[in-house]
Amino acid sequence: MKIKLFYTVLLSLMMTGTQLMSDDSVNKSSSDKREYRIFKLKNGIDVITVSDPDLVTSAATLSVGVGAFQDPQDAQGIAHFLEHMLFMGSKKFPEPNEYMQFIQENGGDTNAFTAAEQTTYLFSINSSKFEPALDRLSSSVKDPLFEPSMVGKEINAVNSEWLLSRQEDSFIQQRTASVTGNPDHPRTKLGVGNKDTLSDSEKVLLRKLNNFYKQYYSANLMKLVLVGKQSSKELKK
C-alpha cells in the first residue's frame, strides 16, 4: 500500500531521529510552531512527540530496527511475514485484524512496511481515539498471539505481494543487482518472501517466527513518533 502524505512528517522524524536527539531538543525552523519533546521510556524506546493544536487527527509511527537483511537464509521473508502476523490478534485484542478495523471505524488509516533494516507500523486516527488506538498497536507488538490458524492465510498474503512485486521494474532492477553483485551481501535474500522461501511446514515456520520475534522485537531497537493536537504532556503520558 502507498504511504499517504500525512505520514511524511512521522517518517522524516523517524529516519533522522538520531540527528534530532541532542540535549532533548529539536533543531527546527523559526516558523515551525509545533512543540517537540524527546525522551526515552524505561524500557529503552526512543520517543519523539509533536504537539500541534491545529490538527484534527493524531498519528503514530513505530519503527523496529530489523528488516529483510536479518532474515535467516532458510526463512527469507520472515521479517515481512512477522509484520503481517502482528495484525492477527494480541492477548488483549485477540480478534484478527481488530486493530485495523478499529482504526478504520474511527476515521483513520493504517499501514506497515518492511525495509532492508527496519520494519515500520503507522496509523492516523481521530484524536479522541488516539489513546485506545495506541493501546492496540502496543498490544500487537508486545503480546502477539501468532495464532497457528492464521499462518496459511498470511503466507498466501505474502506470496500475493511477491507475485505483484516481481512484475515491477524497480523489483526487477533490485533483484538483478542483488544476484549479480556480492553473493554474500544480505540483499541477495528475497525480502518480500513467498511460499517457497518461507517453509513447506507451517509448524516449522511458526517456530522460526517466534524465534525471530524474540530475538529482534526488543524495546531498545524501537523508535516511536507521536503527532497530535494533544499537549506535549498528554502525548508523553
Side-chain angles (χ1 to χ4, degrees), residues 77-214:
I78 200 166
H80 181 209
F81 179 67
L82 172 53
E83 171 211 313
H84 278 245
M85 288 294 291
L86 278 188
F87 295 114
M88 295 300 108
S90 64
K91 290 181 180 179
K92 189 172 183 179
F93 304 100
E95 287 298 315
N97 290 314
E98 196 276 347
Y99 160 72
M100 289 183 171
Q101 184 176 344
F102 180 85
I103 299 292
Q104 292 167 359
E105 289 177 349
N106 289 282
D109 190 20
T110 184
N111 207 335
F113 64 90
T114 302
E117 296 183 273
Q118 72 177 46
T119 305
T120 301
Y121 303 89
L122 320 92
F123 75 81
S124 64
I125 197 168
N126 184 298
S127 291
S128 65
K129 299 296 183 179
F130 196 30
E131 188 169 350
L134 283 171
D135 190 22
R136 284 161 170 79
L137 175 60
S138 173
S139 297
S140 296
V141 172
K142 71 179 183 180
D143 289 318
L145 290 180
F146 293 151
E147 176 59 45
S149 63
M150 303 304 298
V151 172
K153 174 182 177 294
E154 294 311 310
I155 289 176
N156 288 331
V158 167
N159 194 70
S160 294
E161 287 192 39
W162 170 71
L163 291 173
L164 289 173
S165 296
R166 68 177 185 170
Q167 303 176 48
E168 298 175 357
D169 288 345
S170 58
F171 181 82
I172 295 171
Q173 292 168 356
Q174 186 273 328
R175 293 307 297 164
T176 301
S178 67
V179 300
T180 56
N182 182 352
D184 297 323
H185 195 284
R187 71 176 182 175
T188 58
K189 300 172 185 175
L190 187 67
V192 64
N194 60 27
K195 288 183 178 180
D196 294 328
T197 65
L198 287 171
S199 180
D200 292 332
S201 167
E202 292 184 8
K203 184 177 181 179
V204 170
L205 179 58
L206 194 57
R207 185 181 72 247
K208 292 178 180 178
L209 177 70
N210 276 281
N211 291 339
F212 191 85
Y213 170 81
K214 290 175 182 176

